[in-house]
Amino acid sequence: AVVTTQSTGTKNYSMESLISKYVSLSKENPEKSESWSQLHKDGWTQLYRLYETKDNVVKDSIIAIALIDGVTAGEMVEIFHSQELKLKWDHSIDSSNWLEDKNEHCAIYHQVQKRIWPAAQRDFVYESHKEKLGEEEHPDWIVCNVSCEHPNAPSDKYCRAVVEIVFLCQTIVTGDPLFRENVKCRIFYSSQINPGGWVPVSAVKAAATREYPKFIKSLGTFAQEYVKDHKIKF
């Protein structure tokens, strides 16, 4: 769905419900729930298919859970969210342009993906909401990127995709948090994309299963290298 952009102080109702949903999901144990089934596991990333029932319709989505050593939640979210840094590690992006600030938490961007021949080149306009969850010493952080419409980015040049991306990070501390070897970032990532045009749902999900681990590895490797000479920031 494309979100409205009516704000309630810091975020709109769609963002609020999305954050609440994924914070709840992040507390579930996939190994002990019938709603989750494991699709893939490698060194960093575990992929799951999550089944949900809404209005008597069963919907499934793919969720990645990963653990990255030496990086905090705040640092990982900054690297994921920053438009400048994103272009350094996400090589699927052709261009990303700021369109408007909604408030201190939220801005709207227009992103164009590199063309994968023979498919049409795709773009999407999205509202990006970044927020610290709670005031703990080592807080969780979340970014939600949800499609919206904007007059400065009409859908007349590319095949317009619709996205709902949630990137939730939690810091795990195993010792003195002043040292990087004692911190880890747990990533909870969901990316639901309707690529626009005619693409079978099965093909979209098959691509997600392949691309999620590559995405996590590219982001995690960049993050570890980027923060290693910086003071730890939560």
Side-chain angles (χ1 to χ4, degrees):
V2 176
V3 302
T4 60
T5 54
Q6 290 184 329
S7 178
T8 57
T10 59
K11 54 183 176 288
N12 62 48
Y13 291 110
S14 297
M15 290 292 188
E16 211 164 85
S17 62
L18 198 59
I19 291 170
S20 178
K21 171 186 172 181
Y22 279 93
V23 167
S24 296
L25 283 174
S26 73
K27 295 175 182 176
E28 292 187 13
N29 183 344
E31 308 300 329
K32 296 183 178 180
S33 173
E34 293 181 357
S35 300
W36 300 70
S37 64
Q38 192 173 87
L39 293 174
H40 171 87
K41 184 176 182 178
D42 65 17
W44 278 357
T45 308
Q46 297 180 72
L47 273 189
Y48 295 92
R49 178 168 274 131
L50 174 66
Y51 294 92
E52 301 172 278
T53 303
K54 185 176 181 180
D55 300 326
N56 294 319
V57 176
V58 177
K59 177 184 175 185
D60 67 305
S61 53
I62 297 173
I63 291 176
I65 299 176
L67 204 59
I68 311 297
D69 292 332
V71 186
T72 70
E75 292 168 333
M76 187 65 78
V77 158
E78 178 61 30
I79 291 165
F80 176 81
H81 183 259
S82 164
Q83 297 300 297
E84 180 184 354
L85 293 176
K86 181 178 285 190
L87 293 172
K88 294 181 179 180
W89 62 264
D90 188 343
H91 305 298
S92 70
I93 300 173
D94 192 27
S95 65
S96 182
N97 295 303
W98 168 87
L99 296 175
E100 179 185 352
D101 285 327
K102 298 298 294 182
N103 52 56
E104 61 178 322
H105 293 285
C106 188
I108 297 176
Y109 301 94
H110 177 216
Q111 184 167 308
V112 180
Q113 299 299 106
K114 290 179 180 174
R115 187 183 178 201
I116 302 174
W117 191 89
Q121 190 168 15
R122 285 171 162 77
D123 72 339
F124 51 94
V125 177
Y126 65 98
E127 193 170 307
S128 186
H129 179 92
K130 173 187 169 187
E131 186 176 349
K132 180 171 70 170
L133 303 176
E135 296 299 327
E136 292 81 5
E137 189 177 3
H138 308 132
D140 297 348
W141 285 82
I142 195 167
V143 174
C144 298
N145 294 338
V146 182
S147 280
C148 64
E149 297 171 356
H150 196 278
N152 292 348
S155 57
D156 56 0
K157 188 174 180 182
Y158 306 100
C159 185
R160 178 62 51 91
V162 177
V163 302
E164 180 185 285
I165 297 168
V166 178
F167 188 77
L168 172 63
C169 290
Q170 301 162 324
T171 301
I172 298 171
V173 179
T174 57
D176 186 340
L178 294 177
F179 299 95
R180 288 213 172 270
E181 60 263 31
N182 296 327
V183 298
K184 301 181 180 189
C185 180
R186 181 179 185 258
I187 296 172
F188 192 88
Y189 174 70
S190 172
S191 175
Q192 298 185 43
I193 299 175
N194 178 341
W198 188 87
V199 180
V201 173
S202 59
V204 173
K205 289 177 178 172
T209 304
R210 290 193 309 272
E211 295 303 319
Y212 272 40
K214 294 180 188 176
F215 165 84
I216 295 291
K217 187 168 185 179
S218 178
L219 171 60
T221 302
F222 178 86
Q224 288 177 328
E225 186 65 25
Y226 181 78
V227 304
K228 70 179 184 181
D229 296 323
H230 290 71
K231 183 179 177 181
I232 293 178
K233 185 170 68 173
F234 292 96

